[in-house]
Amino acid sequence: MNPQLSIESYALGAFQTNAYILTNPQTEESIVIDPGMEPDVLLHALRDKKVVAILLTHAHLDHIGGLNQVRALTNAPVYIHPLEQEWLTNPDLNGSSRWNLPEPIICQPADHLLADGQVLHLAGLSINVLHTPGHSPGSCSFVIGQICFGGDVLFAQSIGRTDLPGGDYETLMNSIHDKLFELDDETVVYPGHGPMTTIDAEKTYNPFVNGLLR
């Protein structure tokens, strides 16, 4: 059973990508999810925290733009799905070479590779890994009890885009229906952009997916 979590959210950079800090008050250990671009406010919040892991929902530039800085500060291991392992080191794959950035985003390889159905035991938490591709090939969602950190798969009344390299609309729809919509309706979804929502709200009100119920 997972304890009560402290969840901090920071919308970072021009893409306003949500970075999350999860802290277990019982162990006083933290996990970072998706350290995005222009991470100064995130780095400030992490100064006094014991970070034991950095989880990446996927490796688009706006979700890894602050990875090097957070890694240097915390020395925490990085987790990513193997289909996007190479994206960390290749700016053509993570998209940073296509934007007018001061320099492309090039990170060191991840320390651990994720697998669908895997359970991570980090910071005294049990974290279920769901491979939820479609927005990108290696997109993963992290489920802790009735909380889901879904990256750019499902948003409040919207869905992730599928027009970027490696994206696929049908695959995204299958991920939402077969993985996320199988979670409890009360599950709170913390997305990669925008406000949090619930599975029930998206089943009911999301115009892109409410036709998926079958």
Side-chain angles (χ1 to χ4, degrees):
M1 182 175 179
N2 286 306
Q4 187 69 32
L5 272 179
S6 166
I7 301 173
E8 302 170 55
S9 175
Y10 300 90
L12 302 180
F15 296 93
Q16 290 291 278
T17 304
N18 291 331
Y20 296 101
I21 303 174
L22 321 182
T23 301
N24 181 349
Q26 294 182 4
T27 65
E28 298 184 340
E29 295 174 320
S30 299
I31 296 168
V32 177
I33 297 178
D34 289 354
M37 304 168 75
E38 301 175 25
D40 286 355
V41 64
L42 178 65
L43 295 171
H44 181 79
L46 291 172
R47 287 183 308 169
D48 299 322
K49 289 185 166 59
K50 181 182 179 183
V51 178
V52 297
I54 302 168
L55 306 183
L56 303 176
T57 62
H58 62 295
H60 282 149
L61 74 159
D62 56 318
H63 290 255
I64 64 169
L67 176 59
N68 287 335
Q69 296 96 314
V70 171
R71 210 176 196 176
L73 176 68
T74 65
N75 200 34
V78 175
Y79 294 71
I80 197 169
H81 192 276
L83 290 178
E84 295 185 25
Q85 163 80 311
E86 188 180 351
W87 293 31
L88 294 178
T89 61
N90 188 330
D92 291 331
L93 293 175
N94 65 46
S96 61
S97 64
R98 296 192 294 274
W99 291 82
N100 187 26
L101 301 178
E103 58 185 28
I105 297 170
I106 301 174
C107 305
Q108 293 297 312
D111 302 283
H112 301 283
L113 300 180
L114 300 167
D116 185 49
Q118 180 181 10
V119 180
L120 303 174
H121 299 284
L122 300 167
L125 305 171
S126 296
I127 304 168
N128 292 283
V129 178
L130 302 180
H131 182 213
T132 48
H135 173 67
S136 69
S139 286
C140 286
S141 300
F142 304 110
V143 180
I144 307 171
Q146 289 190 322
I147 298 171
C148 174
F149 297 90
D152 289 359
V153 176
L154 181 68
F155 302 127
Q157 298 189 37
S158 189
I159 58 174
R161 60 188 294 182
T162 57
D163 59 331
L164 298 172
D168 183 79
Y169 176 79
E170 183 176 355
T171 301
L172 180 71
M173 291 295 102
N174 287 337
S175 290
I176 293 171
H177 179 268
D178 296 339
K179 298 289 184 65
L180 297 189
F181 278 9
E182 289 298 308
L183 301 174
D184 291 344
D185 284 352
E186 295 77 17
T187 299
V188 177
V189 178
Y190 288 85
H193 303 269
M196 63 185 185
T197 183
T198 66
I199 294 297
D200 180 63
E202 298 318 301
K203 285 181 177 179
T204 305
Y205 300 114
N206 191 319
F208 296 92
V209 298
N210 57 18
L212 287 176
L213 303 180
R214 56 183 185 260

